[in-house]
Amino acid sequence: MGFLDRGVEIKTPDQIDGMRKAGLVVGQTLELLRGSVRAGITTGELDAIAEDNIRSSGATPSFKGYHGFPGSICASVNDEVVHGIPGDRVIAEGDVVSIDCGAIVDGWHGDAAITVGVGPVREELTRLMRVTEEAMWRGIAAARLGGRVTDISHAVERHVRSQGRYGILEDYTGHGIGSQMHQPPNVPNYGRPGKGPRLVEGLALAVEPMITLGTKDTSTLEDDWTVVTDDGSWAAHFEHTFTITARGTWVLTALDGGEAALTALGVPFGGR
Ligand code: MG
Ligand code: MG
């Protein structure tokens, strides 16, 4: 493992394979949670399902104890955008639940998030979730060897703006990932292309647009974690961890490695 300028960690192919193991645990855990979200379940029960699945897969939940965070997932409901603490909150029909999950295998991290609608949700929320997930994929698809980190940022923002009036959080960003969950560089969800560290083989990044039906302004609740919108508008959050190999792009937290979505966007699949 080497370090380029600005502290960017470069992984060997074997180390990327290790990240794939962690990514698969994250992806499988999120699919399990997607199937578990229903009216009447608490966010704490979702957290227990996640922790059981992560540990029984031979992995460690990376969120648990991270700067004192008590859960194995973040569960953020409706106007909560990210970093919600799982607990007694009961999920109701019509809610949207953003679930963020991280796992460690042999010291290597995976990090991903989904937003799930509970039963029928308002049409504007269905659209918000679709736009946010699409923006994440557009960002990943914009990453090419030899490009720059903000090529991703620009593609995320351009897609969101093309779909309507949404708030794009600026105070929270995607990030480098590898032997730690959060590493340089930051991966903002807005901005001009062609800036930031160069995209090279062995770099791994988490891309995670956080999008609201209102403005980008947020505050942190008194629990010191939960990030809520200032205008009360509801939000969505999608995230994947990916890398670029000589052959193409590999989404380490997607069960299919991202092959279907990347192919649909004309991007070569670089998975092993
Ligand atoms: Mg995350
Ligand atoms: Mg992340």
Side-chain angles (χ1 to χ4, degrees), residues 63 83 100-101 110-113 173-177 181-182 205-208 210 237 239-241:
F63 292 8
H83 303 169
D100 197 340
C101 180
D111 184 11
T173 68
H175 48 91
I177 179 169
M181 180 162 59
H182 292 132
L205 299 173
V207 177
E208 49 179 317
M210 292 150 265
H237 176 213
E239 176 178 23
H240 267 312
T241 297

Short mmCIF file of all heavy atoms in Angstrom, two decimals, residues 63 83 100-101 110-113 173-177 181-182 205-208 210 237 239-241, ligand 2:
data_model
loop_
_atom_site.label_atom_id
_atom_site.label_comp_id
_atom_site.label_asym_id
_atom_site.label_seq_id
_atom_site.Cartn_x
_atom_site.Cartn_y
_atom_site.Cartn_z
N PHE A 63 -19.37 1.08 12.13
CA PHE A 63 -19.95 2.28 12.74
C PHE A 63 -19.94 2.18 14.26
O PHE A 63 -19.84 3.17 14.95
CB PHE A 63 -21.41 2.47 12.30
CG PHE A 63 -21.59 2.83 10.85
CD1 PHE A 63 -20.53 2.82 9.97
CD2 PHE A 63 -22.83 3.20 10.38
CE1 PHE A 63 -20.70 3.14 8.63
CE2 PHE A 63 -23.02 3.53 9.05
CZ PHE A 63 -21.95 3.50 8.17
N HIS A 83 -26.88 10.01 9.67
CA HIS A 83 -26.33 9.85 11.03
C HIS A 83 -27.39 9.67 12.11
O HIS A 83 -27.10 9.89 13.29
CB HIS A 83 -25.40 11.03 11.39
CG HIS A 83 -24.27 11.21 10.43
ND1 HIS A 83 -23.44 12.31 10.43
CD2 HIS A 83 -23.82 10.41 9.42
CE1 HIS A 83 -22.54 12.19 9.46
NE2 HIS A 83 -22.75 11.05 8.84
N ASP A 100 -27.56 3.55 6.46
CA ASP A 100 -26.14 3.61 6.11
C ASP A 100 -25.45 2.50 6.89
O ASP A 100 -25.74 2.31 8.08
CB ASP A 100 -25.59 4.99 6.50
CG ASP A 100 -24.29 5.33 5.82
OD1 ASP A 100 -23.59 4.41 5.37
OD2 ASP A 100 -23.96 6.53 5.78
N CYS A 101 -24.56 1.77 6.24
CA CYS A 101 -23.97 0.58 6.86
C CYS A 101 -22.50 0.47 6.47
O CYS A 101 -22.13 0.73 5.32
CB CYS A 101 -24.74 -0.65 6.37
SG CYS A 101 -24.16 -2.21 7.04
N GLY A 110 -15.88 -1.41 3.92
CA GLY A 110 -16.90 -1.12 2.92
C GLY A 110 -17.93 -0.20 3.54
O GLY A 110 -18.17 -0.26 4.74
N ASP A 111 -18.56 0.64 2.72
CA ASP A 111 -19.49 1.67 3.23
C ASP A 111 -20.52 1.92 2.13
O ASP A 111 -20.16 2.21 0.99
CB ASP A 111 -18.67 2.94 3.52
CG ASP A 111 -19.47 4.07 4.15
OD1 ASP A 111 -20.62 3.85 4.57
OD2 ASP A 111 -18.92 5.19 4.21
N ALA A 112 -21.81 1.77 2.47
CA ALA A 112 -22.87 1.99 1.48
C ALA A 112 -24.15 2.38 2.19
O ALA A 112 -24.29 2.17 3.41
CB ALA A 112 -23.10 0.74 0.63
N ALA A 113 -25.08 2.94 1.44
CA ALA A 113 -26.35 3.39 2.02
C ALA A 113 -27.47 3.29 0.99
O ALA A 113 -27.23 3.40 -0.22
CB ALA A 113 -26.24 4.83 2.52
N THR A 173 -19.88 14.94 2.65
CA THR A 173 -19.38 14.54 1.34
C THR A 173 -19.07 13.04 1.33
O THR A 173 -19.00 12.40 2.37
CB THR A 173 -18.06 15.27 1.00
OG1 THR A 173 -17.03 14.80 1.89
CG2 THR A 173 -18.19 16.78 1.13
N GLY A 174 -18.85 12.52 0.13
CA GLY A 174 -18.22 11.22 -0.01
C GLY A 174 -16.76 11.33 0.38
O GLY A 174 -16.27 12.42 0.73
N HIS A 175 -16.02 10.21 0.24
CA HIS A 175 -14.68 10.17 0.85
C HIS A 175 -13.88 9.00 0.31
O HIS A 175 -14.44 8.02 -0.18
CB HIS A 175 -14.83 10.03 2.36
CG HIS A 175 -15.79 8.94 2.76
ND1 HIS A 175 -15.38 7.64 2.99
CD2 HIS A 175 -17.14 8.94 2.92
CE1 HIS A 175 -16.45 6.91 3.30
NE2 HIS A 175 -17.54 7.66 3.26
N GLY A 176 -12.57 9.12 0.47
CA GLY A 176 -11.72 7.96 0.27
C GLY A 176 -11.99 6.94 1.35
O GLY A 176 -12.49 7.25 2.43
N ILE A 177 -11.66 5.67 1.03
CA ILE A 177 -11.94 4.57 1.97
C ILE A 177 -10.94 3.46 1.71
O ILE A 177 -10.48 3.28 0.58
CB ILE A 177 -13.41 4.10 1.82
CG1 ILE A 177 -13.72 2.93 2.78
CG2 ILE A 177 -13.75 3.74 0.37
CD1 ILE A 177 -15.20 2.61 2.86
N MET A 181 -12.41 3.95 7.42
CA MET A 181 -13.68 4.25 6.73
C MET A 181 -13.62 5.60 6.02
O MET A 181 -14.11 5.74 4.91
CB MET A 181 -14.84 4.22 7.72
CG MET A 181 -16.18 4.52 7.07
SD MET A 181 -17.59 4.01 8.06
CE MET A 181 -17.35 4.95 9.57
N HIS A 182 -13.05 6.57 6.70
CA HIS A 182 -13.00 7.94 6.13
C HIS A 182 -11.55 8.34 5.93
O HIS A 182 -10.78 8.41 6.89
CB HIS A 182 -13.70 8.94 7.05
CG HIS A 182 -15.17 8.72 7.14
ND1 HIS A 182 -15.85 8.66 8.32
CD2 HIS A 182 -16.10 8.53 6.17
CE1 HIS A 182 -17.14 8.45 8.09
NE2 HIS A 182 -17.32 8.36 6.79
N LEU A 205 -13.16 4.95 -3.45
CA LEU A 205 -13.95 6.11 -3.02
C LEU A 205 -15.37 5.68 -2.67
O LEU A 205 -15.92 4.77 -3.29
CB LEU A 205 -14.02 7.16 -4.15
CG LEU A 205 -12.71 7.76 -4.63
CD1 LEU A 205 -12.96 8.63 -5.86
CD2 LEU A 205 -12.03 8.57 -3.54
N ALA A 206 -15.95 6.38 -1.71
CA ALA A 206 -17.37 6.26 -1.42
C ALA A 206 -18.07 7.50 -1.98
O ALA A 206 -17.68 8.62 -1.65
CB ALA A 206 -17.61 6.14 0.08
N VAL A 207 -19.07 7.27 -2.83
CA VAL A 207 -19.85 8.36 -3.42
C VAL A 207 -21.22 8.33 -2.77
O VAL A 207 -21.88 7.29 -2.76
CB VAL A 207 -19.98 8.18 -4.95
CG1 VAL A 207 -20.85 9.28 -5.54
CG2 VAL A 207 -18.60 8.19 -5.59
N GLU A 208 -21.66 9.46 -2.20
CA GLU A 208 -22.89 9.42 -1.41
C GLU A 208 -23.67 10.73 -1.44
O GLU A 208 -23.62 11.51 -0.51
CB GLU A 208 -22.58 9.02 0.04
CG GLU A 208 -21.46 9.75 0.72
CD GLU A 208 -21.30 9.24 2.18
OE1 GLU A 208 -22.32 9.06 2.85
OE2 GLU A 208 -20.15 9.04 2.61
N MET A 210 -26.54 13.25 -0.79
CA MET A 210 -27.57 13.47 0.23
C MET A 210 -28.43 14.61 -0.28
O MET A 210 -27.97 15.75 -0.38
CB MET A 210 -26.89 13.84 1.56
CG MET A 210 -26.11 12.69 2.18
SD MET A 210 -24.69 13.22 3.17
CE MET A 210 -23.36 13.12 1.95
N HIS A 237 -30.63 9.41 0.65
CA HIS A 237 -29.18 9.20 0.72
C HIS A 237 -28.86 7.84 0.13
O HIS A 237 -29.37 6.82 0.59
CB HIS A 237 -28.75 9.26 2.20
CG HIS A 237 -27.30 8.97 2.45
ND1 HIS A 237 -26.86 8.33 3.60
CD2 HIS A 237 -26.18 9.23 1.72
CE1 HIS A 237 -25.54 8.22 3.56
NE2 HIS A 237 -25.11 8.75 2.43
N GLU A 239 -25.41 5.46 -1.30
CA GLU A 239 -23.94 5.42 -1.26
C GLU A 239 -23.44 4.07 -1.75
O GLU A 239 -24.03 3.03 -1.46
CB GLU A 239 -23.45 5.63 0.18
CG GLU A 239 -21.93 5.51 0.35
CD GLU A 239 -21.47 5.77 1.77
OE1 GLU A 239 -22.28 5.60 2.70
OE2 GLU A 239 -20.29 6.13 1.95
N HIS A 240 -22.34 4.11 -2.50
CA HIS A 240 -21.58 2.90 -2.80
C HIS A 240 -20.09 3.21 -2.68
O HIS A 240 -19.66 4.35 -2.87
CB HIS A 240 -21.84 2.41 -4.23
CG HIS A 240 -22.95 1.40 -4.33
ND1 HIS A 240 -23.05 0.30 -3.52
CD2 HIS A 240 -24.00 1.32 -5.21
CE1 HIS A 240 -24.11 -0.41 -3.86
NE2 HIS A 240 -24.72 0.18 -4.88
N THR A 241 -19.33 2.15 -2.41
CA THR A 241 -17.86 2.20 -2.43
C THR A 241 -17.40 1.59 -3.76
O THR A 241 -17.87 0.50 -4.12
CB THR A 241 -17.29 1.38 -1.26
OG1 THR A 241 -17.69 1.96 -0.03
CG2 THR A 241 -15.78 1.29 -1.33
MG MG B 2 -19.56 7.13 3.63
#
